[in-house]
Amino acid sequence: MPEPTPEKQGMPRVLLVLPMYGGSLPVGRFAAEGLRENGCLVEIFNAPAFHPVFCALKELKVGPERLDALQNSFLQHVSQCVTAKAEAFAPDLVLSLAQAPLSIAALKRLRRAGLRTAMWFVEDFRIFTYWRAFAPYYDLFAVIQKEPFIDELDALGVHDALYLPLAALPSLHRPLTLDEREKQEFGSQLSFVGAGYPNRRKAFAGLRNLGLKIWGTEWDDDPEIAPMLQKKGERITSEDCVRIFNAAAVNINLHSSVRADPPVAPGDFVNPRTFEIAACGAFQLTDRRGLLPELYGPDEAATFSDLDELREKILYYSAHPEERAAVAARARRRTLAEHTYAARMKRLLDFAAERLPGFMRREDIVWPQNMPAELGDAVAALIRELGLSANASFSDVIAAVRGKSGVLSDAEAALLFLDEWKKLYT
Amino acid sequence: MRRVLTVQLARFGDLAQSKRLLLSQIRDAGNEVHLCVDRSLVHLAQRLYPSAVVHGLPAHRGDGGPGEVFAACRSCFAALRELDFAEVYFLNFSPLSFACAALFNPEQCRGYARSHGQDMRSTLFSLAFNLMRDRRFAPVNLADLWAFLHKDPVAPEKVNPIARPAATGRIGIIVAGRHARRSLPPRALAACVQSVFRAGGGPRLLCLGAKEDQPAARRLKRELPPRIAERLEDLTGKTSLADLPDILRGLDMLLTPDTGAMHLAAHLGIPVQAFFLSSAWCFETGPYGMGHRIWQAVRPCSPCLESAPCPHDTACGAPFSHPSFTAHLAGKFSAEWPADLMGCVSALDDFGATCTVVDGDNPYAEAARELRAGLAACRGLPGADVGGMTARNAAFLFREKDWMLPGNWNYA
């Protein structure tokens, strides 16, 4: 049986609140993996399960004011589901991804209940400006941009802000050997995966003659793009993205902009695709971003700053496969060393420990006394079976057992029984 | 052979109240009936239900520490899982019960279950919780509610024998229940004992209870006139739970608050004179069967919430020492009747057990009758009346979600 020692603090327990939809949704799922890799006990609030209801509201054909009111009350209801789950799970941290359905009222309630909250705002602060209203209600606010965002947060009274760039998940974003059918389906000389933002439409219209294949949504009404569009503009799964990255000689990574001009717009934050392609050991040409140099050196990233440079480098790297391979290998090494979700989540947890008084100071780490040795073995087996860390406390094991669906084993049910028995009688 | 299990982890009174359900299971041809109870109640359960296989769990506070509880629990769970039950009935809304339910598929479970990691209650028990929003109108005895988890419960008259005195000249007295507020104050109890003593022509009195009831027994003795006190034998703390059935079997009558001993006496067919006050409500947990008397305090705050402090200094205990009531208990005519008291006889109908008010008024009788008919109608239960589902019933028995959303889990 695990022996509690002074340094054993129990597993950090995180309730991760996913958004209902959108680009931050996969980031949330990857962050959950990163948290688990850090020995956290993670419970996920699966907001996408509520998305169909939201869609149904939009088909009501009522006036816009009524629809607004209904959508708002729907959001409040989903927020209450989050708070109920948080109160039941008793996490050390409630971590929301951008657009997670947590109202200000819900955030206030969590604060009153003594639960710590953090937001990983993986959006452009200049476009998604709602952070001004919400940030003060989070205990920590992690962002993918630096100044002036951090200063602006500070001016709002949000002093516990953290620059936390995006990352890759090496268990998913990895080199693959594709079979012939996959090469046929996903292979290309030149690829792009992403949504059809105005700047991308303009940038890619002239690349048809270079063999560009485009995967992703929101392109379908553009006649110039249509011949290049793959899979009829369907949404591409994370797994298929990895196949496409692996199967392309050159992956274009052009950050999105809501304006068509300039097609290669200046910007600071670095998108997830940068890290994901790099982790795959695939080659990418990415637009030059303000925060890129501190993440990847010049020999780890091939960049462009306008369309002429993009075309020129496509031609150059297409003709130099060894150079592509060398850049890609260096980028993968750097990514695995520094830019994983596990590393990001470690940074976030460290920051929480540094900034939140009493973070992870639990009173429930003590194991029941007089546990016979043979049963201690059974509990240790359960800890291994549940994939918990050696730091698992009694309440961590209980929380993990409670989180399981389906019929429990004798040992699991007996542990739940014992937990309830303890609450009643000790 | 088909195995069925009932998990009853509450007190021994609840064990006796599970009788209609268990008899229904035992009656069904091909069933092998199992019962899981707190391990302190295994022997009693075997005596109450000799044809059932009884399993013990450490559900109550006992001598063992957490390690021993875990070991005993795991061993019991392993044995239960091996038995591959067709149905498992969970009767208690308690976290311990839900932990047991985690061993079984929700499709096997009746009453309560755990589905996808979520603790769930069945449609019937959801309805019961709706009823508890206003207990004054309680239309169903708990023993019947549990029995209705079975598709075809045995007839109410098959549950307990008609109560008859043992003709031994002994009257038993339970001085206190588990909840002090639900027990008669010593002076009121003494007044009642004197009345019954006179009416019974000076019987022997046996004070029954656990060791912790000894102070109450001594107080009672002090309150009694010497000639009655000398006829009282204080057995509190001197007998065990295992002795109780034999002791009760030898009584002409048992005076008691709402206790496990009351249900055990009803099980044995020993007449009960039961005092219900505070949070006790005879329409929910009155003695099952014919031949019992129940004296129910009824104030505007009755029945109250057990866990909430009483702002009225437990005024519901007062009518039990009212001279007109004690005269009535002694078998004398009295033109008066305490305003806050109902005198009931236990009764049975097609649906189950109930209490018929014969002294005083039951201000909630009509609403309770209507709900009883509604409950029978909506569950297709014995005594169902197609006109039972009135608009008032529909609003009270169900919450809006019950009508409009798919049931969480529909097994019984």
Side-chain angles (χ1 to χ4, degrees):
Chain A
M1 192 182 71
E3 285 295 324
T5 57
E7 68 272 18
K8 281 194 177 176
Q9 295 293 306
M11 296 169 73
R13 209 177 291 178
V14 181
L15 174 64
L16 196 142
V17 186
L18 293 174
M20 282 191 202
Y21 67 101
S24 54
L25 178 55
V27 174
R29 290 181 173 138
F30 302 154
E33 286 305 308
L35 286 164
R36 289 190 185 103
E37 287 176 45
N38 277 284
C40 294
L41 188 61
V42 183
E43 186 77 18
I44 291 179
F45 182 83
N46 189 27
F50 293 84
H51 192 232
V53 181
F54 174 73
C55 294
L57 292 177
K58 289 195 289 187
E59 292 172 9
L60 284 175
K61 302 178 182 70
V62 296
E65 285 183 14
R66 290 298 292 277
L67 182 59
D68 274 359
L70 289 166
Q71 287 179 337
N72 190 55
S73 57
F74 169 69
L75 172 68
Q76 298 303 329
H77 179 75
V78 179
S79 293
Q80 284 176 30
C81 295
V82 177
T83 53
K85 193 158 178 64
E87 284 160 15
F89 182 56
D92 297 297
L93 191 66
V94 178
L95 174 59
S96 299
L97 266 290
Q99 283 82 260
L102 253 179
S103 65
I104 287 174
L107 287 166
K108 284 180 177 172
R109 182 178 172 134
L110 292 174
R111 186 167 280 179
R112 278 199 304 274
L115 293 167
R116 265 55 190 280
T117 57
M119 158 64 82
W120 194 9
F121 189 72
V122 293
E123 298 289 359
D124 186 341
F125 81 102
R126 296 179 183 90
I127 294 173
F128 287 77
T129 53
Y130 74 89
W131 58 270
R132 289 184 189 280
F134 282 77
Y137 295 97
Y138 281 95
D139 296 311
L140 304 176
F141 210 75
V143 298
I144 58 171
Q145 289 152 298
K146 289 186 169 177
E147 304 308 344
F149 193 12
I150 305 276
D151 274 351
E152 291 200 31
L153 283 166
D154 197 60
L156 267 181
V158 180
H159 307 305
D160 295 318
L162 168 71
Y163 170 60
L164 194 69
L166 287 154
L169 186 70
S171 57
L172 173 69
H173 304 119
R174 60 197 169 90
L176 292 181
T177 305
L178 302 181
D179 61 28
E180 284 308 313
R181 189 194 59 77
E182 287 174 317
K183 282 181 189 164
Q184 190 73 25
E185 188 175 354
F186 301 109
S188 67
Q189 184 61 32
L190 184 61
S191 85
F192 177 81
V193 184
Y197 280 82
N199 66 319
R200 291 170 175 167
R201 288 166 186 259
K202 184 160 185 179
F204 298 156
L207 297 181
R208 186 177 169 187
N209 62 340
L210 296 180
L212 175 63
K213 289 186 181 177
I214 295 173
W215 281 268
T217 58
E218 299 164 49
W219 300 93
D220 47 357
D221 58 345
D222 192 323
E224 292 193 82
I225 297 293
M228 295 181 274
L229 190 63
Q230 307 297 302
K231 288 189 176 279
K232 298 177 185 168
E234 290 170 10
R235 202 182 74 78
I236 304 297
T237 64
S238 297
E239 289 76 14
D240 281 349
C241 283
V242 172
R243 292 188 179 94
I244 293 164
F245 298 153
N246 271 278
V250 175
N251 290 285
I252 299 177
N253 179 14
L254 175 60
H255 286 71
S256 63
S257 171
V258 291
R259 295 188 190 86
D261 280 311
V264 184
D268 48 6
F269 70 90
V270 173
N271 67 13
R273 198 175 298 104
T274 311
F275 304 100
E276 293 167 1
I277 296 171
C280 288
F283 178 78
Q284 66 181 304
L285 273 172
T286 184
D287 52 330
R288 221 161 270 145
R289 305 289 289 182
L291 293 167
L292 185 66
E294 61 189 73
L295 298 166
Y296 293 102
D299 61 343
E300 294 167 329
T303 60
F304 59 92
S305 55
D306 56 37
L307 292 186
D308 289 340
E309 192 179 3
L310 171 61
R311 176 174 279 275
E312 180 191 313
K313 288 195 171 169
I314 289 170
L315 293 172
Y316 177 81
Y317 281 108
S318 293
H320 295 85
E322 300 81 8
E323 282 193 49
R324 288 203 313 262
V327 172
R330 287 191 288 270
R332 176 169 155 76
R333 271 199 299 278
R334 179 83 183 264
T335 305
L336 297 185
E338 295 180 26
H339 305 317
T340 62
Y341 280 98
R344 298 293 186 253
M345 291 302 103
K346 180 175 188 317
R347 176 76 190 98
L348 181 69
L349 293 168
D350 289 346
F351 188 70
E354 181 188 316
R355 298 296 180 97
L356 302 177
F359 181 69
M360 277 293 296
R361 264 185 227 142
R362 297 258 200 82
E363 291 170 3
D364 60 2
I365 62 166
V366 180
W367 283 84
Q369 297 299 302
N370 308 320
M371 184 77 92
E374 68 271 26
L375 293 172
D377 294 343
V379 174
L382 199 55
I383 288 174
R384 284 194 300 276
E385 194 182 309
L386 292 167
L388 306 180
S389 86
N391 269 341
S393 69
F394 179 72
S395 75
D396 293 333
V397 178
I398 294 296
V401 170
R402 282 192 195 287
K404 286 188 75 170
S405 289
V407 172
L408 300 186
S409 71
D410 307 336
E412 289 167 339
L415 264 187
L416 274 195
F417 192 96
L418 173 60
D419 182 50
E420 299 299 349
W421 185 91
K422 280 176 66 207
K423 287 180 200 162
L424 285 170
Y425 304 124
T426 61
Chain B
M1 186 186 57
R2 185 173 175 275
R3 292 193 179 102
V4 296
L5 169 67
T6 295
V7 179
Q8 172 55 276
L9 299 181
R11 303 282 156 179
F12 82 90
D14 301 84
L15 182 58
Q17 286 176 281
S18 310
K19 188 175 179 183
R20 191 177 177 195
L21 171 63
L22 284 155
L23 290 184
S24 307
Q25 296 167 348
I26 291 164
R27 176 212 52 201
D28 291 346
N31 269 2
E32 180 179 285
V33 176
H34 292 245
L35 176 60
C36 183
V37 297
D38 177 69
R39 57 190 174 183
S40 69
L41 298 177
V42 167
H43 293 299
L44 183 65
Q46 282 165 339
R47 287 197 67 175
L48 294 185
Y49 308 110
S51 66
V53 182
V54 182
H55 306 263
L57 266 179
H60 298 174
R61 187 195 297 275
D63 297 333
E68 196 271 325
V69 166
F70 178 90
C73 189
R74 190 176 181 208
S75 160
C76 178
F77 284 174
L80 293 179
R81 188 194 298 282
E82 281 293 303
L83 289 164
D84 192 22
F85 291 105
E87 292 175 346
V88 187
Y89 292 74
F90 290 95
L91 306 189
N92 318 113
F93 180 65
S94 84
L96 294 178
S97 189
F98 281 118
C100 296
L103 279 176
F104 303 98
N105 281 310
E107 291 75 19
Q108 289 171 276
C109 298
R110 305 287 179 270
Y112 298 104
R114 186 174 188 270
S115 177
H116 300 290
Q118 171 71 49
D119 295 339
M120 311 281 272
R121 57 185 173 219
S122 65
T123 307
L124 176 66
F125 284 178
S126 289
L127 202 146
F129 274 80
N130 291 346
L131 287 172
M132 287 179 66
R133 284 178 292 171
D134 197 334
R135 294 175 55 207
R136 294 174 303 170
F137 310 135
V140 58
N141 186 289
L142 181 61
D144 293 320
L145 181 75
W146 284 338
F148 294 153
L149 288 174
H150 190 282
K151 288 191 183 94
D152 180 24
V154 297
E157 60 270 22
K158 304 268 188 198
V159 177
N160 286 336
I162 295 172
R164 289 193 177 87
T168 56
R170 287 189 199 133
I171 288 177
I173 304 162
I174 304 289
V175 285
R178 280 181 61 232
H179 305 282
R181 215 167 77 195
R182 288 168 64 151
S183 306
L184 282 185
R187 190 159 294 173
L189 178 59
C192 293
V193 168
Q194 287 181 64
S195 296
V196 171
F197 185 83
R198 284 191 203 105
R204 262 185 76 197
L205 303 170
L206 303 181
C207 216
L208 305 171
K211 195 171 180 183
E212 56 265 31
D213 299 322
Q214 286 176 335
R218 284 195 290 270
R219 278 199 299 276
L220 170 65
K221 201 163 187 173
R222 280 200 299 272
E223 294 288 345
L224 291 171
R227 67 183 183 85
I228 300 179
E230 70 186 19
R231 294 285 290 163
L232 187 144
E233 185 180 358
D234 183 4
L235 294 179
T236 53
K238 295 172 185 155
T239 60
S240 71
L241 196 55
D243 301 325
L244 193 56
D246 290 332
I247 295 170
L248 293 177
R249 212 187 293 275
L251 297 178
D252 288 345
M253 180 197 297
L254 180 70
L255 300 184
T256 179
D258 181 6
T259 60
M262 177 193 77
H263 294 295
L264 193 53
H267 164 83
L268 296 166
I270 298 303
V272 157
Q273 296 250 13
F275 307 110
F276 275 62
L277 64 156
S278 180
S279 60
W281 195 239
C282 65
F283 304 99
E284 294 174 335
T285 55
Y288 205 104
M290 303 288 282
H292 307 290
R293 296 300 311 265
I294 306 101
W295 312 103
Q296 173 71 61
V298 55
R299 287 173 49 85
C301 52
S302 304
C304 61
L305 188 64
E306 205 163 88
S307 53
C310 175
H312 308 295
D313 197 21
T314 323
C316 55
F320 293 95
S321 52
H322 193 283
S324 57
F325 171 63
T326 51
H328 191 89
L329 262 189
K332 294 176 186 167
F333 173 75
S334 170
E336 271 190 287
W337 182 256
D340 297 340
L341 194 64
M342 292 189 288
C344 313
V345 293
S346 62
L348 298 173
D349 59 17
D350 288 345
F351 187 88
T354 186
C355 293
T356 302
V357 178
V358 293
D359 300 300
D361 294 319
N362 178 7
Y364 314 118
E366 182 51 32
R369 190 205 60 74
E370 187 181 321
L371 273 175
R372 194 172 174 87
L375 185 61
C378 71
R379 297 290 299 176
L381 294 170
D385 172 358
V386 287
M389 190 46 67
T390 61
R392 187 165 62 167
N393 272 343
F396 190 80
L397 283 170
F398 297 96
R399 299 173 75 180
E400 289 173 350
K401 76 167 183 70
D402 299 329
W403 294 109
M404 295 158 203
L405 297 178
N408 287 328
W409 166 68
N410 285 316
Y411 291 89

